[in-house]
Structure formats: C-alpha cells, structure tokens
Amino acid sequence: MIKKISALGLMAIVFLGCQSQRSITGTQTGNKSASTTDSKKDNDDLKPYREVITSEAKSDEGLFTSHRVGDKLYYEIPLSLLEKDMLLVSRIAKVPAGFGGGYVNAGSKANEQVVRWTKRGENVDIKIISFENESDENSPIYQSVAANNFFPILYSTKISAYNPDSTAVVVEVNSLYENDIEAINGISSSLKKRYKVKKLDQNRSYIESVQSFPKNIEVKHVMTYEAEEPPESDQAGTISLLMNQSMILLPDEKMQPRLADERVGWFSIKKYDYNSDELKADDYRIIRKWQLVPKDSEAYKRGELVEPVKPIVYYLDPATPEKWRPYFKKGIEDWNVAFEAAGFKNAIIAKDPPTKEEDPEFSPEDIRYSVVRYVASTTRNATGPSVSDPRTGEIIESDIIWYHNHLRSYRNRFMIEAGAQNPAARTLNTPEAEIGEMMRMVIAHEVGHALGLPHNMKASSAYPTDSLRSAEFTQKYGLTPSIMDYARVNYVAQPEDKGVRYIRMMGPYDLYAINWGYRYIPEADSPIEEKPILDKWILEKAGDRMYEFGSGYGGVDPQSQRESLGSDQVKASEYGLANLKKVVPNLIAWTSKDGVDYEDLDEVYGELTSLWRGYVNHVVANVGGVNETLKTADQEGAVYRDVPKEIQKNAVAFLNNQAFTTPDWLLNQEILSRIEASGAIERVQNLQTRALNNLLDEDRLKRMVSNEQMNGKEAYTAVELMDDLRKGIFSELYSGRKTDAYRRNLQRSYVDAASAYLQQLKGEDNEAVLKSDIIALMRGEMERLKRDLSTRKNNNNDSLTKYHWNDLVARIDAGLTVDF
C-alpha cells in the first residue's frame, strides 16, 4: 500500500486517488518522541530542576505543565510531545477604542498556524508547519516538494533543565510572548503604518495569565506599542492590546476528510497534490466539519436516527443573562432538525454553564468546551468562529461570540423594516417574544458558521417576492431557504398582510447542506470514493432554486446579494420603500422618551437612510448583472447568463423614479429640526452620488458592452443605459421645469462622473479603460448633453436653473478638454 503524506507535514493527507482510510490517515513520520539520551547529563550548563522550578513556582498541570517563577514563565514539555502537531491560534482579547477603525473587535482572530516543538541540541524550536502541499514519500518529486517547502522557525529558546526523571525539557518562554513576533501579534503591517508604530515597548509588555488544560494551553499577554498616531488621541502615544494565544494539541487519529464542491457552500481548506496525473499540481479543497460517527452503524445504515459517538456540545457563558438563555439554547439546538436529515439525533446539545460543584475544571478557555460567549461590549455584532485541524478539516472547538449591543441593531432594524406592518415593532423596547426570536435566529446563524457553513446570499432569491406577503408561505418556509442568508426582517410584507412571519428561520437548504457535509458514508473508505455519492445528491437537486448556493461576493449576480429578499429585487425594493415612507412620519413618536434627548431618533433615522441606500443598490445590481448558477462539466446549460433586457430597463426606471428623484418623504422637517442644524442636502447628495457612481461602475459598463457584442438586440446596451439615465436625471431640462438643490447636485455628479472617465486619458494608470468603449461612450454622452443644454437652457424662467445649465456646459467643456 502506498502511503500518501504531506511533504510539509511528513504525514498522511487526502490524495485524489483510490486510497483506503488507513492510507489517508497513515502514520506521521516525524512525531517520534525525542530520545532521552540527549539528557541533562550531556549538557554541563543545565541547572538542576529544583534550582529552576523553585518552591516559589506557581504551577499548573496540563498539556504542558506551566510554571510561574517570579516574572519568568517556564514550560515543562514532555519529550513525547516534541514533534507533535499543535495549532497555535492568536486572538485579540482586548483592544483600545477605535482600533482598526472599529472593525477589529475583541475576540478577532489574528492568525492560525500549525506548529511543532522540536529539540535541536541544547535548544527547543517552534517550527511553523504547512499541510497545503503534499506528495507521495516514495515518489521522486517528494524530495523537491520537501526541499521547496522548508519549515520556518517561529521561535527558539535554550533548554533550562530537565525534569527529575528526564522525560521532559524545561524552557523559559517569556521572550515568545514579550517580543514583537509578527506571526502572533495583533497589529498588522498596514495598521502599524497607519498608526505610525515605532516599536514594542518591552517595559510595558508582559504575560498576564497562563492556564494549562489537558489538550491546550492559554496565555494572555499585554503588548504595548509606541505609536505616533494611535487610534485615540488620549492613549499617551501608545497602543496596548491584550492577546490570547491558544496552543492546541491536534489529534493523532485523523478524521477522513471530505472533498469540497463549490455547488454546496462550505468553509474549506486548499491543498495541492504534486503526484496528480494532471499536467500540473492538482489543487482541491476539503471541507471544515465536526467529526460525527454513529454509535450504531448498522441501525444508521437501516435509515434509523442514531446518536453520534461524540455529539457537538455548546455551553452557555456564565455571564449570559438568565432571560436570554432559553433563546440561545433554542438557536443552538435548532440545528438538530438539519442533523436528523443527515441521520443523526441529538447531534448538537446546548447546556447551561456547570457550577463549580458540577465541574470544578470548567473554563471557557479550555479547548474541551465550546462556548457561546456573552460579551459586555458596545460592539454590535455576533460571530461564529471555529478552530479546525488543517490536515483533515476536522473542527475541534468553537466559541460563538454574542456582543451585548447587537440587541440594539435588531431592535432598530425591526422598527424600521417592520414598523409599518407590525405593531410590535413600533417601540425601542421590543417585546421579549420578538427580540428573543431574533436572538435565537442570530445564534442559529452563527452556529451554522461554526458547523462549517458560509453565507449563502443567493438563497433568498429562490422565493417569489410576493410569497413573502403570504402568511401560509412564510410560516412554513420562512423568508429564505437558508438561515445562512442575510435576510433579517421581512420588509416585503405590507400593512394589509396579516399573519406573515417577520423573522428569518432555518430552511430547506440548511437541511440539504448539513446532510451533504455530515452524512456518514461507511461504504466509502476514502474521500475519492465518497465523491460519486456526494455528486449524486447535488444532481438530484439540480434546477431547484432552493438548493443553489451563492456567496454574494463579487457583486455581479443580482440574485446573490446580502440583505435582499425575493427573486425580484425591483419589486422587493418598491415594497420596502413603501414601508419606509410610512415609518418616517412616526419615528419621533416611536423613539422619544420624556426627559431624554433625540439621540435614539438620530440613530434610527440614520440607519433608515442606510437601508434606503441598500434597497437602491439591490436594484442597481441588475443593470449589467449576470446570473450565476454553479455547475460542473457534466451538467447541461450555461453557468453565466446576462440579466434579461426588460429587467435591466425596469431597474433603471426604478432608479430614476425612486433613487434620483428628490426623496421628499425622507426629508421630514419635523425629524431634521430635532437632530441637526444642517446637512440634509449633503446627505441626499451623498446617497444619490454613491448610487450613480455604482451604476456607472467601470466593470458594469464593460459587461454591458460585452453583452451587446454577444447578444445583439437582446442586450440592454450601455448607450441605452446612458440615454435612459440622462432623460431621467435631466427631466427638468427636457420639460422646462425648475430644478431644486438636490437635483442640481445630482446633475453635477452625473457630469463629473462622465468627465472623470475622460480625464483618465491624461494618465496611463488604467490602460483597460483607455482601450475600452467607455471613453467613447462618455465622450458621446457629454457631447449629446451639451447640445441639449445649449438648445434648451433658456426654456426656463428660473434664474438659478439657468445659471446651473450654463455651469454644466462649462463643466462639460472642461471635461472634454483633454490633451493627448
């Protein structure tokens, strides 16, 4: 039998050939225990154990025994653990205010890498190990793969002593945590540049705490940097972070990996096989998943629901408020419905935190416990990270993070998007039943991530938009086929629609994806043997929109957008705007409290404005949009199809009527007079200009030119877009009407956007645009608009409007004047 091993890990990993399970999870050549012949007797400089680990030591037994002796931290590392694979996960435990522009929060992961402690003479090194590249150790190319993927040394320290029976080395590791080691620090090179970081101040950098557990060691250490421009001016010229370093022992018995398929969304790990028969290094991916094995394989084969040998267990953080615990538990255990589709019962369990009497060793930091952490923070977010074995994709631990102020996001969103239809949403003190259900579904969403599922932004487009107005449909199917979509509140439902569901829930895609990733396939002894079975499950659902996947990244497919609902984005946005127009006049009453200022009103109004922008952008995506349906070569039909012409024209008509017309409904003077002295004009200008620039995006226009070339008269052309847009944005010019300040700003933005393309002729930094049809398109548009302005500008009795038309002519002349 041929052993398949990773040249970087010198160990067995998936190979795309007919290998048995034993072959795939074969022995690791480099994890023999270091010989005890290299003992303290051969090192005259070593001190006796009792002189290093004195009676004053504060020791903690675990994976390594840690010893705090004064300011020094020692690890007592068993020789049996040298050369073992360990996962080093670096997280930022605490951050200063405003760090990373507010996008880097406590709990953010800074790095994740596999390491090995190795003995080198009188030193112990930490080497960074990669399992991305692999080769058969018996093949000629193995030597080249190994030579071209040499393990870097992360850290090195002298051996201070051996333990009394010479079965472990004792090393001081202060310098690992108190020096600026890039691989484990929390400030990226870009942030160092942004804050003008000079250096790490070692006098103000120190180890705060160490905890040793059976399978992991957790170290918290403060890193203080001298910085000329820290994120907050009152930080005394420094940036201090509290880092948490987790050193986790990876299992010797490896899970059989499962090959990823882009048609079903999964977080995955990329691999390169240099022994592939392909005429290249064959790249493939394995999914990240928990290892679930049925207790009774025979019953499982018969189709009975069977409990797993080791279920997935989440504990609630002891800090979780009692009133929210039932909702958190339901959100976790909601996934049991999906696991039942995969043949498992009681696969995921939620538990209250144990008392000291029940489990004196319980700690959220212990890798043996996965925890839903409740963080007292003003951050408005929740996350679902997990830690996985990069060799096989096995998820070994997960901490869901719920930040307290995420409640604020959902109460606001519920009021804005459901206030017109649902009386329960017309208060900032959202009733517990509604806010509890929202929390439950947020936790379910984050647990989905921790199970291995990424966002599926395409899911919501599977449902007809008007179906979201149906009580029967929404109560049965929810707002989208997947809880992993961003579809937080039903903004499509109208006030006359009774009994509809307003909050997302788990859907058919979630059951399908969990079955695909977690169903135990005992008849397949290798990942390659599983593949035909997995492919068959995908093909059985092919053509059914409810089981399609789209990440939402790239911005090309209008059916795959975050926060969008339904298959018709224009209709959904019309419904959403209709509701917003009903909400705005009520915001003062719904947000005000006696004796309290208008801070809440300001916040909610600002978020409502952002949602209006979101609805507009959902529509913009249809113009020059391309619908994507992921397929493999054995499936018929195209992967990419341009959005039909009529849908694109309808989208532009919506934009002219709803986005580029002055939003008088939004400019509610009763609200504005309470939250700002001025700024309404600039706010609307910003909203409309961003929508216009998005519509005239370079890539979008290129796609439209390409579509015309390929599809001729069936295409909505870039020239038609500019013509429709000009007639809408400059409707006052063609009708002889007066323009208001908002429209004048928009019209200037239109001319400026077109002129900006022409001005690129002065430079050489965008050759793709210079050689495309975009320049000719914009030149022609400006010349056409200039002619229309010149012949019609006097057909108006308003002086400011005339001045405005003259100003636009001057701007066009300046834009057209380009020296070659």
Side-chain angles (χ1 to χ4, degrees):
M1 181 183 295
I2 297 175
K3 290 182 180 177
K4 295 305 303 175
I5 71 169
S6 162
L8 292 184
L10 301 183
M11 58 175 295
I13 291 292
V14 183
F15 174 55
L16 294 182
C18 294
Q19 299 289 321
S20 71
Q21 166 70 3
R22 292 185 297 277
S23 170
I24 289 172
T25 60
T27 59
Q28 181 176 327
T29 62
N31 64 357
K32 294 181 180 178
S33 299
S35 172
T36 57
T37 58
D38 244 352
S39 68
K40 59 183 179 180
K41 297 178 182 178
D42 300 317
N43 297 283
D44 295 335
D45 294 335
L46 296 181
K47 293 181 179 181
Y49 180 82
R50 63 181 179 278
E51 292 184 15
V52 178
I53 309 302
T54 66
S55 59
E56 298 178 355
K58 296 180 180 179
S59 302
D60 188 11
E61 294 184 0
L63 177 65
F64 305 157
T65 299
S66 63
H67 304 282
R68 299 293 298 269
V69 183
D71 292 334
K72 294 184 180 292
L73 171 61
Y74 293 95
Y75 282 167
E76 186 174 322
I77 307 173
L79 298 180
S80 61
L81 291 179
L82 297 177
E83 304 290 347
K84 290 283 190 178
D85 294 328
M86 299 184 186
L87 197 62
L88 176 57
V89 182
S90 303
R91 293 189 181 93
I92 304 174
K94 293 182 181 179
V95 296
F99 185 71
Y103 292 99
V104 180
N105 299 312
S108 297
K109 187 187 298 181
N111 203 355
E112 183 176 302
Q113 55 208 320
V114 177
V115 299
R116 288 185 194 150
W117 295 81
T118 64
K119 186 174 177 296
R120 175 176 54 87
E122 298 178 4
N123 296 274
V124 170
D125 301 332
I126 300 179
K127 291 185 176 181
I128 299 176
I129 312 299
S130 172
F131 299 95
E132 186 176 50
N133 300 300
E134 63 180 39
S135 175
D136 182 346
E137 66 176 338
N138 296 317
S139 68
I141 200 173
Y142 167 79
Q143 299 178 53
S144 178
V145 175
N148 287 284
N149 294 277
F150 188 67
F151 301 152
I153 296 174
L154 171 70
Y155 173 74
S156 184
T157 184
K158 289 282 187 183
I159 297 173
S160 300
Y162 280 78
N163 69 344
D165 62 1
S166 297
T167 60
V169 292
V170 177
V171 294
E172 182 192 337
V173 293
N174 286 66
S175 55
L176 174 61
Y177 303 110
E178 294 174 354
N179 287 341
D180 188 15
I181 298 176
E182 186 173 353
I184 65 171
N185 71 29
I187 302 187
S188 65
S189 57
S190 61
L191 287 180
K192 284 184 176 180
K193 184 177 180 180
R194 175 177 175 180
Y195 298 132
K196 295 184 179 179
V197 171
K198 298 177 182 177
K199 64 177 182 178
L200 183 77
D201 185 345
Q202 291 185 317
N203 291 327
R204 289 180 282 182
S205 301
Y206 55 90
I207 297 170
E208 182 176 275
S209 65
V210 183
Q211 288 181 288
S212 295
F213 301 102
K215 295 183 180 180
N216 63 299
I217 290 182
E218 303 293 322
V219 177
K220 285 186 169 67
H221 59 110
V222 173
M223 303 185 79
T224 299
Y225 294 88
E226 295 179 8
E228 292 183 11
E229 297 181 5
E232 296 289 338
S233 58
D234 59 351
Q235 291 177 351
T238 63
I239 299 173
S240 291
L241 304 174
L242 180 64
M243 297 296 299
N244 188 98
Q245 309 293 344
S246 302
M247 188 86 68
I248 304 162
L249 180 65
L250 294 176
D252 286 332
E253 184 178 342
K254 304 175 194 70
M255 179 187 76
Q256 177 170 293
R258 179 158 292 183
L259 296 174
D261 190 305
E262 67 174 357
R263 295 171 292 178
V264 187
W266 280 86
F267 291 128
S268 60
I269 300 169
K270 194 167 188 176
K271 302 279 187 179
Y272 290 92
D273 177 14
Y274 282 87
N275 279 113
S276 169
D277 290 333
E278 300 289 335
L279 300 180
K280 63 182 179 67
D282 197 11
D283 59 289
Y284 64 98
R285 290 183 173 274
I286 58 175
I287 68 172
R288 298 176 57 198
K289 62 192 277 295
W290 298 79
Q291 183 174 20
L292 292 184
V293 177
K295 286 182 178 179
D296 187 338
S297 295
E298 294 305 315
Y300 188 89
K301 291 178 184 177
R302 292 193 299 268
E304 300 175 22
L305 291 179
V306 178
E307 291 185 344
V309 173
K310 184 181 179 181
I312 303 165
V313 178
Y314 277 99
Y315 290 87
L316 300 190
D317 190 325
T320 308
E322 292 284 348
K323 67 183 297 185
W324 302 132
R325 292 187 180 190
Y327 302 105
F328 278 30
K329 287 181 178 179
K330 288 177 182 177
I332 295 166
E333 295 187 345
D334 278 342
W335 283 99
N336 274 319
V337 175
F339 280 111
E340 287 174 5
F344 292 101
K345 66 179 180 181
N346 302 323
I348 187 166
I349 300 169
K351 291 186 177 183
D352 284 316
T355 63
K356 286 292 183 183
E357 293 73 25
E358 292 171 332
D359 188 348
E361 294 185 349
F362 175 81
S363 169
E365 310 297 340
D366 191 335
I367 199 70
R368 294 176 297 171
Y369 303 101
S370 292
V371 179
V372 179
R373 298 178 183 240
Y374 197 100
V375 181
S377 167
T378 57
T379 298
R380 294 166 64 173
N381 197 12
T383 62
S386 62
V387 174
S388 62
D389 185 341
R391 305 169 304 177
T392 63
E394 179 184 359
I395 297 173
I396 54 181
E397 185 266 348
S398 162
D399 284 340
I400 308 300
I401 301 175
W402 172 277
Y403 298 97
H404 178 75
N405 257 28
H406 207 31
L407 288 166
R408 188 173 187 168
S409 300
Y410 278 85
R411 66 157 203 188
N412 292 357
R413 192 70 173 265
F414 191 48
M415 172 181 286
I416 294 166
E417 295 197 296
Q421 318 94 289
N422 189 338
R426 298 167 187 168
T427 172
L428 290 178
N429 294 317
T430 311
E432 183 178 326
E434 281 75 16
I435 199 70
E437 181 70 3
M438 285 183 256
M439 294 177 75
R440 170 184 177 179
M441 293 307 158
V442 175
I443 292 297
H445 177 95
E446 302 306 337
V447 169
H449 284 320
L451 295 175
L453 301 181
H455 291 130
N456 182 4
M457 301 304 186
K458 194 177 186 69
S460 57
S461 67
Y463 290 168
T465 301
D466 280 324
S467 294
L468 300 178
R469 300 184 59 184
S470 163
E472 182 180 2
F473 184 91
T474 56
Q475 295 296 346
K476 182 177 181 179
Y477 295 106
L479 312 186
T480 167
S482 178
I483 191 74
M484 304 314 297
D485 199 346
Y486 273 1
R488 305 169 203 268
V489 178
N490 186 350
Y491 62 81
V492 168
Q494 297 298 289
E496 61 268 26
D497 303 330
K498 306 302 180 183
V500 299
R501 183 176 177 86
Y502 284 95
I503 300 166
R504 61 182 168 172
M505 66 184 213
M506 199 164 294
Y509 174 86
D510 302 313
L511 277 61
Y512 161 71
I514 289 296
N515 176 70
W516 189 91
Y518 279 96
R519 179 163 286 277
Y520 185 63
I521 309 177
E523 63 270 28
D525 289 329
S526 71
I528 198 64
E529 289 184 17
E530 287 186 342
K531 192 173 188 311
I533 301 170
L534 299 173
D535 288 347
K536 178 176 177 291
W537 295 342
I538 295 174
L539 293 176
E540 287 174 349
K541 302 295 185 182
D544 190 330
R545 295 283 305 281
M546 286 201 295
Y547 302 102
E548 290 183 5
F549 173 75
S551 66
Y553 298 109
V556 174
D557 186 354
Q559 300 290 334
S560 187
Q561 300 189 74
R562 56 194 298 162
E563 311 290 358
S564 176
L565 286 179
S567 59
D568 185 335
Q569 291 75 43
V570 174
K571 181 181 287 188
S573 291
E574 286 174 342
Y575 283 139
L577 285 175
N579 287 329
L580 294 189
K581 291 174 182 179
K582 295 180 177 69
V583 168
V584 167
N586 294 288
L587 281 184
I588 296 174
W590 293 351
T591 62
S592 300
K593 296 179 182 178
D594 291 345
V596 180
D597 63 16
Y598 291 105
E599 182 180 355
D600 283 333
L601 173 64
D602 189 11
E603 178 178 298
V604 174
Y605 179 78
E607 291 183 23
L608 183 147
T609 303
S610 295
L611 287 172
W612 174 74
R613 182 175 64 235
Y615 295 163
V616 168
N617 286 332
H618 291 162
V619 175
V620 170
N622 282 277
V623 183
V626 181
N627 294 327
E628 177 188 61
T629 304
L630 297 172
K631 297 180 180 182
T632 52
D634 56 318
Q635 294 177 265
E636 294 183 357
V639 174
Y640 299 102
R641 295 182 184 275
D642 294 290
V643 173
K645 180 175 183 175
E646 286 307 309
I647 292 178
Q648 295 192 52
K649 283 186 69 67
N650 191 29
V652 174
F654 170 92
L655 295 172
N656 277 328
N657 293 329
Q658 299 287 357
F660 300 140
T661 300
T662 302
D664 294 321
W665 62 272
L666 186 64
L667 301 170
N668 184 296
Q669 291 305 307
E670 291 296 316
I671 293 176
L672 296 177
S673 65
R674 286 167 168 79
I675 64 174
E676 62 186 15
S678 63
I681 292 178
E682 291 77 10
R683 180 187 295 107
V684 172
Q685 179 185 21
N686 180 52
L687 289 167
Q688 292 184 328
T689 299
R690 289 178 65 175
L692 180 62
N693 289 339
N694 186 8
L695 185 61
L696 298 180
D697 174 71
E698 173 188 331
D699 290 336
R700 188 182 315 281
L701 294 175
K702 286 180 180 178
R703 290 196 299 272
M704 297 183 76
V705 171
S706 175
N707 184 19
E708 180 183 3
Q709 185 66 32
M710 298 295 293
N711 297 309
K713 293 182 179 180
E714 294 182 5
Y716 182 56
T717 69
V719 171
E720 288 176 297
L721 165 65
M722 300 305 292
D723 190 54
D724 289 343
L725 202 54
R726 176 176 18 85
K727 290 176 181 177
I729 291 178
F730 292 90
S731 60
E732 296 91 343
L733 175 67
Y734 298 108
S735 63
R737 290 182 289 112
K738 174 184 175 180
T739 60
D740 63 26
Y742 302 100
R743 292 282 287 181
R744 292 195 296 271
N745 278 335
L746 175 63
Q747 289 158 2
R748 282 189 284 267
S749 293
Y750 181 89
V751 171
D752 291 345
S755 297
Y757 276 113
L758 298 179
Q759 292 303 307
Q760 292 187 40
L761 289 169
K762 293 180 179 180
E764 299 178 354
D765 57 345
N766 196 342
E767 186 176 355
V769 171
L770 302 183
K771 293 183 177 180
S772 74
D773 287 324
I774 296 177
I775 297 295
L777 175 70
M778 293 304 169
R779 187 187 300 278
E781 177 59 25
M782 290 298 93
E783 291 174 345
R784 169 65 187 272
L785 181 58
K786 180 182 176 180
R787 290 195 301 270
D788 289 349
L789 285 166
S790 299
T791 58
R792 297 171 180 267
K793 63 182 181 180
N794 294 320
N795 297 342
N796 196 297
N797 294 323
D798 181 65
S799 296
L800 190 52
T801 297
K802 290 181 180 179
Y803 298 155
H804 171 61
W805 297 144
N806 286 331
D807 176 65
L808 290 183
V809 171
R811 287 171 183 258
I812 292 172
D813 285 339
L816 291 171
T817 304
V818 181
D819 296 326
F820 290 94

